[in-house]
Each structure stands twice: as structure tokens, then as C-alpha cells.
Amino acid sequence: MSIAGAPPTISVTMATYNVAPYVAASVESVLSQSFTDFEFIIVDDGSTDNTRKILQHYADQDTRIRLVFKSQNGGLAAARNDAIVIARGDWVTFLDGDDIFRKDMLEKAVSAGQAADADMVLWDFTTFSDETAISTSSTSSRLATIDGDDRSALLALPAFAWTRLIRRDALLQHKIQFANGLTYQDVPPHWVQMTALNKIALVSERLVFYRQQPNATTAKTSWKRADYFHILDQVAEYLRTSGLEQVYGDILVQRQLEAWAGVYDIIDPDLKPRVLDMITNRYSATHTEYIRSNKPLRWRARTFFKALNGQTSAKLALALWTNTRQLYRWLSKIAVTA
């Protein structure tokens, strides 16, 4: 596709893969934005359903759409990285092929970014599973209580790429890319953005609707859950090479402990020994010291590691918690079928 004229203000990028039932709603949520000075880069990652036919239909009607059809599936991260390379806008944002922008999202975001002369703009989201139940009315946002200069608080926010608008120059300057081949690929760039960018503006509104799908990767108990270990390894390397370990080390240790315990808890039982090996290979005296302190840590994670280190009371507490949860789930199933 030939490109003429001045670069647009925003490059909206979307990665798609076999999302035919949902992609039309996602595309239309972009094309119907109140702010119109954007290009819409859609990288289809080797879909085998009707996704490409649907995308081509919209591209034939709207010249702002730039389609890239990949011959083989390379993963969400690779598709997003490909889109960044060809983006022309002053700003770049992301959307998955099954999620939906609020109609004024781009307008709200770019106005906030320009007014604050920011490198990045953050906004909130809400979840949905049924498009007919989406509410476009404004609801309270966790961002209303956060200071944009409090980087520790910003790091605690979900890492979803579609909750931010970033200056393209900043993306290129800091070489921000998504983690290829891994689930949770949003996390390493999230850490770079929150710790390296200069000014971050906040829009305390829920501007994206995040579709909940039971078959999504993050809803499964397969070995892909263990990708989180490698993702946090990348974050640790970034902090080390950037000289930021002293500043953000405690936050990383907290994330590691909570993520490791969480993966062990949810992954298939036959995979738990492998996860335990991964924990053992990464666990250090720093983690023990953190657990023994009064620093922030979820009860489940603190109890898990105390039990792992042989504390009898922690083992009993963990067993009671696990059995209670199983009983609750069993009773809930009975209630649903009754």
C-alpha cells in the first residue's frame, strides 16, 4: 500500500489471530473514534478463519487502514513489534482484535498527552463478556487516586498495552519492544515505560473494554503459565543493566514471589514439580529476607514460601485455605446446577 501525505497524529495498531467472531466490533470501535487523524495498522498473524476476509472488507472502505498479512503465526508480541516498526504517527497505541475502544478514547488520550507534554498517557479499562451488556457511562477509576509521578504506584497497575498512548520517539529511543514468544509479553515494556519515560499523564476514566474469554491463554493452566518466570527474568536483567536495582528491587522481589506462588497454585498438578524447580533455581536469600519483613506481600504468597521453607503453621494454614477454596468451588457448582 502506498502512503502519501503528512504522518498522522496517532498510529493505532492491532494484532489479530483467528478472531473472526469479534474483530468487526473491534475494528469499528477504532473507525468510529471522535478523533479522526490516525492510521490504523492491522497485523494479522496468520489467521486461518475468516479474520482476513473481514479485515479486507473494512480496508476496502477506509484508506486509514494499513493491512499486513503474515504467512505464519509468530505470536502477539512479534505482530505488535512489526506494527511499531512501520508506524508513522507521533503517538502509538495498541488494541487486541477482540477488545473495544470507547468512542472518545483517542480524543481523551491525545488531549491529555499534548496538554501535559507527556511521553505517555495511561487510562483505565473495564471487562466484559457480552457486547450487549457494555456500559459506556463513566465509572470510577483506580487512576483517580494515583499521582503520575509515583512510579512505584504506576508499576503496580496492569501492564496491558492497550491502556496507554506512547510517543513513537520514546518507543524508539528506549528500544521498547514486546517479549517475543512469551505470554505476559506486556510486562517487560511496562517496566521500561514506568521507570524510563519522563512525563506520564493519566486519564482517570475507563476508555477500553477488555473482553473476557474462557479459552484465552491467561485463563488456562498449561505450561504457558510458566512464561511468567522468564518474563520476570527479563525485568530483572533490565533493572540490573539500567542501574535501577536499588530503586525498584523490592518491587521486583514482591512481583517474583507473588507470581511464582500464583503460577504454582494454578498450573496443572503434573506440572507443579517443574515449576518448583524453576522457583528453586531463582530463589535467593533476598527473597527470604523479604518474606520475613513487613514489606508488602500477599498472604497467599508469604504463606506459600513459609510452607516451602518448612514452617509447620504455614503448611497447615495453606492446606486449610486450599481445602476451603475447593469446597467453595464445589458448592458453587452445585448451586449453579440446582
Side-chain angles (χ1 to χ4, degrees), residues 190-208:
H190 174 74
W191 278 74
V192 178
Q193 292 157 10
M194 299 307 181
T195 61
L197 299 184
N198 293 322
K199 178 68 176 178
I200 298 176
L202 306 181
V203 177
S204 301
E205 296 184 50
R206 300 178 184 273
L207 300 179
V208 177

Side-chain angles (χ1 to χ4, degrees), residues 8-24:
T9 301
I10 301 174
S11 293
V12 179
T13 70
M14 175 188 286
T16 61
Y17 178 67
N18 288 350
V19 286
Y22 316 113
V23 72

Side-chain angles (χ1 to χ4, degrees), residues 268-326:
D268 287 338
D270 59 339
L271 299 175
K272 290 185 187 294
R274 292 173 63 187
V275 172
L276 198 57
D277 285 342
M278 296 181 77
I279 293 173
T280 302
N281 291 336
R282 290 165 173 79
Y283 191 86
S284 69
T286 301
H287 296 99
T288 298
E289 180 182 347
Y290 191 96
I291 292 167
R292 290 174 177 171
S293 73
N294 291 321
K295 295 174 181 177
L297 189 64
R298 292 175 183 170
W299 176 88
R300 174 69 178 76
R302 194 184 301 276
T303 305
F304 170 80
F305 282 101
K306 285 183 175 180
L308 203 60
N309 287 326
Q311 187 180 104
T312 302
S313 61
K315 291 180 180 180
L316 292 172
L318 195 60
L320 178 61
W321 180 85
T322 301
N323 290 334
T324 301
R325 182 178 63 175
Q326 290 175 342

Side-chain angles (χ1 to χ4, degrees), residues 54-86:
I54 296 168
L55 295 177
Q56 190 64 60
H57 167 75
Y58 283 103
D60 290 342
Q61 299 181 54
D62 198 312
T63 58
R64 292 174 298 181
I65 295 178
R66 299 171 60 191
L67 292 182
V68 178
F69 287 162
K70 300 181 70 173
S71 59
Q72 294 182 335
N73 178 257
L76 175 59
R80 285 177 173 171
N81 291 336
D82 289 344
I84 291 173
V85 170
I86 63 174

